[in-house]
Amino acid sequence: MTRSVKTTVSFMAAILLLIAAILWQLSTGDIHLGLIETLRAVFDIAPDQTAWFVVWQLRMPHLLAAVITGGALAISGMILQTLTRNPLADSSILGINAGASLGAVLLIGASGVYHFHYSDNGLALVVLLGALLSASLVFFVNRQGSATRVLLGGVALTSVLNGIILLIQLQLNQFDFEEALIWLSGSFWDTDMGFLMRYFWLYLILLVCTVCALRLLSGLTLGQEMAKAIGVNVKLAQRLLMLLAIGVTTVAVSVGGAISFVGLMAPNIAKRLVGARPRLQLPLSWLIGTLIMVVADVIANNGFGKVTLPVGLIVAMITMPYFIYLLFFQKRHV
């Protein structure tokens, strides 16, 4: 199979699987809808009122949350893997998720102690600050540019921050503890469409910025020396791309909590299918990351009877075997 045929087949398969997963998500639940009912409700073609309510009021918010988190984590993972030149890099492994989660837990705890109500914007701010701080620490330690040091520094920082988060949780009252636990387990904790749409527009802006930065991303895949030779300002490109990675991670964590490994798995699968060509790897990573999240959401909500599991737990079950495979298969390159 030629490269162009393999690329076309990969994109077509990913698109068809994502469409099938979306229809599965919209039609499956306590109230099961047929395919025709679902399509009529989605496109508002003389739909049954019950079907319309179920699709648009109950299931569409979960779909939108899955699209935001899955796509954002996949894009973040691809950028981080390019910057560190390490196929095991991911926002959860490099401590960015843990830093963002620490910010959220601190805010939750402070609101309980000092009796104030925080806004969605306040939550996004502390999540962003936590992500920026943790990313800055990891890359400050790795000024020499070693991919191994980045990975080890991220793992160490994640362990430290998770320990601090646990200590804070033990001091919380029952209500705040449960709220923090929902966040840390990776759940779509707020499915209000107003909340989700604000993050969706921010996500689209960051997505457009990432597409505009494809030239920088392509240059860095060639290595720093070659990137300089073709006119890329490497230091500036690294800083801009790191800010983009932190930005999209912040959006994902704000919507879905501490969900791990989507950013690890999606770019690696895309790279195997279309190679290290950002103009192809980026959209395919987005498709795969979104597909993983949509499937995980369906399983979390419907796969265990009346019990709803955190979507982050299902994502970990899906992606962890691939992470272990990469850890052993890629160890000679890291």
Side-chain angles (χ1 to χ4, degrees):
M1 186 183 294
T2 64
R3 174 179 287 187
S4 60
V5 172
K6 184 178 181 181
T7 298
T8 302
V9 170
S10 298
F11 272 97
M12 290 300 297
I15 291 169
L16 290 174
L17 285 172
L18 180 57
I19 292 172
I22 289 172
L23 291 174
W24 183 30
Q25 196 266 359
L26 293 176
S27 62
T28 304
D30 291 336
I31 302 175
H32 181 76
L33 302 177
L35 178 61
I36 301 301
E37 279 184 297
T38 303
L39 290 173
R40 289 175 63 184
V42 168
F43 295 106
D44 204 17
I45 305 173
D48 175 78
Q49 289 303 309
T50 300
W52 186 93
F53 179 82
V54 167
V55 168
W56 283 100
Q57 299 297 318
L58 301 181
R59 295 175 187 168
M60 195 61 74
H62 277 264
L63 176 60
L64 182 58
V67 169
I68 294 171
T69 52
L73 290 171
I75 291 169
S76 171
M78 181 190 161
I79 293 174
L80 290 171
Q81 287 169 23
T82 301
L83 289 176
T84 61
R85 302 185 67 79
N86 191 323
L88 298 178
D90 170 59
S91 59
S92 58
I93 295 173
L94 295 183
I96 298 174
N97 280 16
S101 298
L102 177 59
V105 171
L106 281 171
L107 182 63
I108 292 170
S111 69
V113 172
Y114 297 106
H115 307 291
F116 66 88
H117 178 73
Y118 56 86
S119 65
D120 296 337
N121 292 333
L123 178 65
L125 179 61
V126 296
V127 166
L128 175 60
L129 290 175
L132 280 170
L133 180 60
S134 57
S136 299
L137 284 173
V138 170
F139 284 89
F140 175 77
V141 170
N142 183 52
R143 295 185 299 276
Q144 294 83 4
S146 165
T148 303
R149 283 175 67 93
V150 169
L151 193 63
L152 293 176
V155 171
L157 180 62
T158 298
S159 299
V160 171
L161 294 180
N162 284 338
I164 295 172
I165 289 170
L166 180 59
L167 288 175
I168 295 171
Q169 278 185 281
L170 294 175
Q171 308 303 315
L172 300 178
N173 60 50
Q174 183 177 354
F175 177 79
D176 290 336
F177 180 88
E178 291 176 356
E179 188 174 354
L181 187 62
I182 289 172
W183 174 278
L184 294 170
S185 61
S187 298
F188 299 146
W189 59 282
D190 190 342
T191 53
D192 175 70
M193 283 298 286
F195 168 81
L196 291 174
M197 286 305 298
R198 286 195 294 274
Y199 281 98
F200 178 71
W201 290 116
L202 178 58
Y203 166 63
L204 280 184
I205 292 170
L206 291 170
L207 189 60
V208 170
C209 291
T210 304
V211 172
C212 293
L214 271 177
R215 177 179 171 274
L216 301 178
L217 206 57
S218 299
L220 291 179
T221 58
L222 303 174
Q224 293 192 12
E225 295 303 319
M226 186 63 73
K228 290 177 181 177
I230 61 175
V232 175
N233 186 330
V234 173
K235 291 293 183 184
L236 179 61
Q238 288 175 332
R239 289 168 184 165
L240 289 174
L241 289 169
M242 177 53 66
L243 286 174
L244 277 175
I246 293 171
V248 291
T249 299
T250 299
V251 169
V253 174
S254 296
V255 172
I259 296 174
S260 303
F261 299 124
V262 174
L264 170 74
M265 186 174 178
N268 275 288
I269 294 175
K271 187 176 181 178
R272 286 179 176 275
L273 294 173
V274 299
R277 295 175 289 172
R279 64 184 181 85
L280 297 175
Q281 190 185 359
L282 180 71
L284 189 56
S285 296
W286 182 89
L287 287 168
I288 294 171
T290 304
L291 174 63
I292 292 171
M293 285 303 306
V294 173
V295 171
D297 181 63
V298 178
I299 296 173
N301 288 319
N302 304 288
F304 300 89
K306 297 296 182 181
V307 178
T308 299
L309 294 182
V311 68
L313 175 62
I314 303 301
V315 169
M317 291 170 60
I318 294 172
T319 57
M320 184 57 74
Y322 192 75
F323 170 69
I324 295 171
Y325 164 75
L326 276 179
L327 190 63
F328 286 100
F329 184 78
Q330 299 281 1
K331 63 182 179 180
R332 62 181 182 273
H333 300 301
V334 176

